[in-house]
Each structure stands twice: as structure tokens, then as C-alpha cells.
Amino acid sequence: EHPAMLFYLDNWQSVDPQAFQRMGRGRAIPKKAQNRGLNENYARELLELHTLGVDGGYTQKDVMEVARCFTGWTIRVPGRGGDYEFNPQMHDPGEKTVLGVTIPAGGGVEDGLKVLDIVVAHPSTARFISRRLAERFVADNPPASLVHKMAQTFASTEGDIRAVLKTMFESREFWSEGAYRAKLKTPLDMVASAVRALDADVDFTAALAVKIGELGQPLYRKQEPTGYSNANEEWLNSTALLARMNFAQALAANNLPGVRVDVNRVVKGKQPEP
């Protein structure tokens, strides 16, 4: 329902192609309205990036059916930063079939909610999300045994991410020698954790945002819907490591405008200056 996702993936303009005929009732339909119709972007990314994964077993027909289910999920006054709303006049009320499950005709907003129930219960979703979490916290190529255990927890708890993470953190694989220091922090994580570790006083964050961008992860600038990578190879090279060291030096030396570090507070045995 987030307006940013509805806008970015064009679902706020996705409409049942027959909707304007139903609403027109014999009146002339504006040409701009005639050009609007079903948009598959939101449905495709929901299945490919957020639930089943690209090899999760869905078809082009499933994408179209999911898109039909989400017609009417739109934004109130989008030009003025409006919130999510469901517009029943834009919705396709016909029967749909998603991943083999029939959604009866005559539904409204509950059609989209039913899609979410269907994809959460699908075994591909359990495997896909479990692997992504393991890639984030354990290794770029996490052990299949760990992913399997996490997926079992996901399925048995109906998608309880807290339970899935608990399974991961308590696993033998997470605490194994192979997982020790196997992951490199992204620039955002590195900068944020460094500021926290030094208990820095932050009056404004512009300088930190600039540094994150210089390290290769500018905030809100990733154009592809996949987001920034968690893989080490994305961030591990000589230039990036030098930039990280320079950031650490600038932070500790109080050379970042708006950010102040009292080194005495984090050096053992030293007291703050009066």
C-alpha cells in the first residue's frame, strides 16, 4: 500500500480496461483515459523480487492475473503527496486464477490481499526470502542446509521473519568458521555503525550522506527495483577500501561538518575534557 511503491511501479495508474466503459454510461471517454489500462510492473516485481523469485514457478499468466487483482490500488491526489486508497471503480471484478488458486468474481480490495496470502504460503517464497536473508547475514553463497532450515521455519510460522532470523542466528552454520567475517558491510551500514560506535553527536547529516554516496551507495539513487547489492564483490576493491579508511579518519578527526566525536569517550582510560 505504500504510495512510493505504487507510484514507482505504476500501479496507481493500473486500471481494468473495461472500467471506463462501465463508468462512461454512453458519455464520451477522454482520450487520455482510453489509453490507460492494465499495468503489470507492480505484479511482476511483487512475484520476482519480493516473494517467489525469478525462478519461483510463476508464469506470464500469473503476472497478468496478479495485476488484475491489484487494479484499484492507487494514490489519493498523487500530485500532492496523497496516501494509498482503493478505488473500486478502477478494479477488475472478474474471476482470477493466481498460481492455481481461484479468486472468485465480485471481489474488491480483498483480491489483492488474497494474492499476498497465496504468495506467502508458496514454498518458493520461503526459499527465496530465506536465501536472501542468509546472503545478507551469513555469506554470499550461504549453505543450502541453512537456507532449508530457515525455509522450514518460514513455512511453519506463515512467514514470521523474526522466527526465521532466530533460526538463522541460532544455527551451527551462522557460528561456523566459514561464516566468520565472511560479509562486508555496505557503505550505508558502515557509516551508520561507525557513527553509533563512536557515540557521535550529529546536528545534521548532509556530510554523512555525501560520504555514503562517495563510497558508492548514494541514498535513494538506485534506479533498478532490485536495490543495492549485498554481495561482497560489489563493495570490495582497493579504491573502496581506501575511501573507507579516509572516512574513518575524517570521522575520528572531526572533519565532517555537523558531526562531532569526543574521542576521549571511546578511548579506554581517558576522561572527557572539562
Side-chain angles (χ1 to χ4, degrees):
E1 297 179 0
H2 199 291
M5 183 164 176
L6 292 169
F7 184 87
Y8 180 62
L9 296 178
D10 305 311
N11 201 82
W12 71 285
Q13 291 186 314
S14 184
V15 59
D16 175 17
Q18 304 302 316
F20 294 108
Q21 279 71 22
R22 292 195 302 270
M23 291 186 289
R25 298 178 181 176
R27 298 192 300 269
I29 302 172
K31 187 174 182 179
K32 184 177 181 180
Q34 294 180 29
N35 293 332
R36 291 178 61 182
L38 193 68
N39 191 295
E40 300 175 7
N41 287 352
Y42 183 98
R44 187 177 306 280
E45 305 304 353
L46 173 67
L47 297 178
E48 178 179 329
L49 297 180
H50 301 291
T51 56
L52 279 71
V54 66
D55 298 317
Y58 65 88
T59 66
Q60 173 60 24
K61 177 65 173 175
D62 289 316
V63 172
M64 295 180 64
E65 295 290 88
V66 170
R68 291 177 61 209
C69 289
F70 281 106
T71 49
W73 289 52
T74 186
I75 305 172
R76 185 185 301 108
V77 289
R80 297 197 295 273
D83 297 326
Y84 158 83
E85 72 173 358
F86 176 74
N87 185 339
Q89 292 184 317
M90 296 171 61
H91 184 65
D92 183 338
E95 180 181 281
K96 299 100 172 170
T97 302
V98 176
L99 297 169
V101 179
T102 299
I103 299 176
V109 67
E110 62 270 19
D111 288 353
L113 299 176
K114 179 62 176 176
V115 168
L116 299 181
D117 290 337
I118 292 170
V119 297
V120 166
H122 198 282
S124 291
T125 300
R127 291 191 296 268
F128 178 74
I129 292 181
S130 295
R131 180 172 179 82
R132 291 301 299 271
L133 289 172
E135 289 172 347
R136 172 68 177 81
F137 289 104
V138 182
D140 288 354
N141 293 297
S145 57
L146 174 60
V147 175
H148 178 69
K149 285 186 286 191
M150 293 169 64
Q152 286 184 316
T153 299
F154 186 101
S156 64
T157 61
E158 298 182 343
D160 186 334
I161 298 298
R162 182 189 295 270
V164 175
L165 289 173
K166 185 173 186 290
T167 296
M168 180 184 68
F169 291 137
E170 293 180 350
S171 70
R172 180 177 55 198
E173 293 88 345
F174 180 81
W175 294 99
S176 68
E177 182 178 353
Y180 182 64
R181 292 184 173 178
K183 294 296 299 182
L184 183 72
K185 290 182 179 181
T186 65
L188 174 59
D189 287 338
M190 191 273 290
V191 169
S193 60
V195 170
R196 289 172 177 166
L198 294 179
D199 194 22
D201 293 323
V202 181
D203 291 328
F204 54 93
T205 59
L208 295 175
V210 168
K211 287 299 180 182
I212 293 171
E214 291 176 353
L215 290 166
Q217 194 181 15
L219 300 179
Y220 311 113
R221 296 293 296 277
K222 184 66 173 177
Q223 296 300 311
E224 300 83 2
T226 50
Y228 289 105
S229 173
N230 281 315
N232 287 349
E233 64 180 4
E234 185 77 14
W235 313 111
L236 186 57
N237 57 70
S238 57
T239 301
L241 291 177
L242 178 60
R244 288 178 183 232
M245 287 188 286
N246 288 337
F247 162 75
Q249 184 180 37
L251 178 63
N254 287 312
N255 289 331
L256 297 177
V259 183
R260 180 70 183 175
V261 173
D262 183 352
V263 178
N264 289 319
R265 288 192 297 182
V266 293
V267 177
K268 185 177 181 181
K270 289 192 175 183
Q271 298 297 323
E273 295 180 1

